[in-house]
Amino acid sequence: MFKPLIPESFGPLQGVRVISSGVFIAQPFAAGLAAELGAEVIHVERPKVGDGYPATRKAQERRNLLCVSLNLDQRAGRDLFLRLLATAEMWFESSKPGTYQRFGLDDDTVLKANPRLVIVHVSGFGQSGDPAYVGLASYDPIGQAFGGLMAQNGFPDPAAPVLLQPATLSYLTSSFIMWSSLAALLHARATGQGQSIDIAMYEVAHKVLGGTMVEYFRQGHVRSRTGNRAPGEAFAGAFRCADGWIVIAPLEDTGRIETAIGAAKGAASADLSAALQAWLATRPCAQAVRTLTGAGIACSKVMAPGDMAADAHYQERGVHIQWDDEQLGRVRGVGIVPKFSATPGKIWRGAVGVGRDNEIVYRELLGLSAEELAALAGEGTI
């Protein structure tokens, strides 16, 4: 029977326990998403050291987690970790392939201890493939480059390709972690059969390239970088106003633009583009957006943090909330996304320090005594 460690049940993932043992962004962010939707997430870090996450990012992305410390280099630590996995339905990890095998925690061993467990391995190049790639160091920029995202972002040569920020591929990977693990969880609950999922970050980048590879294999076509302009859409892109930038995406006919800015009907594309830029240059963003949206043209100001904090739509939807963080105190940031009508997520605690929940997890979940905990702490195991 599931014995919850968190103080209350809420959200669509209540009753699901996840063990999280990754570092940096993609995998821990996915664990945080699960925790905000009610899953009980136990995040495992190295004793005293943690994983080096910046305090502001940790405050935003490590809420609702139960945090324990554990040294997997020690046999006692590995034994405790296996016992933790035996209590869970899902395990998310990110490391170089082979890391957990060296600890004696290969998939076969783990699934023998917990046959229903859903295991998600996250790495740059995947758990298998060309030996020249498997095991290479890889972070967000490497995945964007190898997976093809960078080749399509930025302005045409000779300008350099551009990374999507902030760490866009990592956050995309988090979404893949969530939907794939939940799909496997449905299967495990129906059949009693767990499995492992191999997520290579470069493949996530490659998956979201649209029709790029079909065009290449079918026609030999190679998409080029077009800056802020969408291919085939002359007036889609970023334009400068008197006090900032706006983005226009006029998928409709150009007649709406002509009407909105008072340009001559049927003007050549270059002339209309020049007229649009001249019209925008004399107007503040807010006025330009009101006029264009009033004409049925999709557009938005390029929003900076101050704009988003002050915007009425952000406020009406409750996008920004406050909570308490152990390191930073009272903070304000992004709340729960998406919004569930019947089983909403919530924030019941902010981010906490390394090993903050050792006692509650190891004593209440695994049944260790105070003396055993003290001995493990003295040996550097926890």
Side-chain angles (χ1 to χ4, degrees):
M1 177 180 292
F2 182 81
K3 179 184 177 182
L5 299 177
I6 60 177
E8 55 186 304
S9 295
F10 65 91
L13 295 183
Q14 58 186 284
V16 176
R17 177 174 292 133
V18 181
I19 306 300
S20 163
S21 61
V23 297
F24 298 111
I25 300 171
Q27 187 267 285
F29 184 73
L33 292 176
E36 291 179 3
L37 294 181
E40 179 183 291
V41 178
I42 301 174
H43 186 57
V44 180
E45 299 178 278
R46 294 171 295 172
K48 299 182 180 179
V49 177
D51 62 10
Y53 228 44
T56 51
R57 178 167 263 166
K58 185 173 184 179
Q60 178 67 67
E61 299 178 0
R62 300 289 179 84
R63 303 175 297 194
N64 287 9
L65 302 185
L66 296 169
C67 293
V68 301
S69 56
L70 196 56
N71 185 353
L72 295 181
D73 289 322
Q74 296 183 6
R75 176 60 182 270
R78 295 192 290 272
D79 290 344
L80 278 178
F81 189 70
L82 193 60
R83 290 176 63 185
L84 282 177
L85 294 179
T87 73
E89 287 191 279
M90 297 196 287
W91 169 31
F92 300 166
E93 73 88 12
S94 58
S95 63
K96 287 185 179 181
T99 298
Y100 285 89
Q101 287 90 327
R102 290 193 294 273
F103 292 144
L105 295 167
D106 56 275
D107 287 354
D108 288 342
T109 299
V110 171
L111 288 171
K112 185 176 180 180
N114 184 352
R116 301 169 60 91
L117 187 67
V118 172
I119 304 169
V120 183
H121 296 298
V122 184
S123 62
F125 292 97
Q127 302 297 306
S128 63
D130 187 333
Y133 287 97
V134 176
L136 288 179
S138 180
Y139 301 98
D140 188 283
I142 308 305
Q144 289 197 38
F146 193 73
L149 273 179
M150 278 190 72
Q152 294 188 34
N153 286 281
F155 288 85
D157 287 335
V162 172
L163 281 170
L164 298 179
Q165 299 288 358
T168 302
L169 177 55
S170 293
Y171 293 112
L172 277 173
T173 301
S174 300
S175 295
F176 275 68
I177 294 168
M178 284 299 298
W179 71 253
S180 63
S181 65
L182 292 174
L185 181 63
L186 288 175
H187 175 77
R189 287 188 167 183
T191 66
Q193 178 186 3
Q195 61 184 300
S196 66
I197 302 170
D198 179 1
I199 297 181
M201 289 183 66
Y202 89 89
E203 289 179 344
V204 173
H206 202 61
K207 181 71 171 179
V208 299
L209 294 183
T212 294
M213 297 311 296
V214 173
E215 294 168 8
Y216 176 77
F217 287 125
R218 185 176 176 83
Q219 305 161 351
H221 175 69
V222 177
R223 293 190 182 187
S224 58
R225 301 193 301 278
T226 59
N228 290 319
R229 300 298 175 91
E233 299 170 12
F235 304 103
F239 296 85
R240 186 184 289 278
C241 290
D243 63 347
W245 290 83
I246 67 170
V247 165
I248 302 175
L251 303 183
E252 310 83 3
D253 62 73
T254 58
R256 293 187 182 183
I257 294 180
E258 293 169 344
T259 300
I261 69 174
K265 298 292 183 181
S269 179
D271 293 336
L272 183 55
S273 181
L276 175 61
Q277 185 60 79
W279 183 86
L280 292 169
T282 62
R283 289 164 173 78
C285 292
Q287 179 187 345
V289 168
R290 282 196 303 271
T291 300
L292 294 173
T293 55
I297 298 167
C299 67
S300 172
K301 181 179 181 180
V302 177
M303 305 284 272
D307 300 313
M308 294 179 283
D311 185 81
H313 192 56
Y314 277 84
Q315 293 173 2
E316 286 296 321
R317 286 181 58 83
V319 174
H320 300 132
I321 65 171
Q322 295 187 78
W323 68 93
D324 292 316
D325 179 82
E326 280 199 354
Q327 283 185 272
L328 302 179
R330 193 71 170 167
V331 297
R332 188 174 184 85
V334 182
I336 304 294
V337 177
K339 299 175 179 6
F340 286 67
S341 63
T343 55
K346 68 181 298 182
I347 305 302
W348 63 270
R349 78 187 300 184
V352 298
V354 178
R356 170 71 161 72
D357 299 297
N358 280 355
E359 183 167 350
I360 186 174
V361 172
Y362 293 137
R363 291 194 68 173
E364 295 192 23
L365 184 60
L366 300 187
L368 273 64
S369 67
E371 292 75 19
E372 287 174 312
L373 285 177
L376 289 168
E379 296 163 0
T381 304
I382 62 174

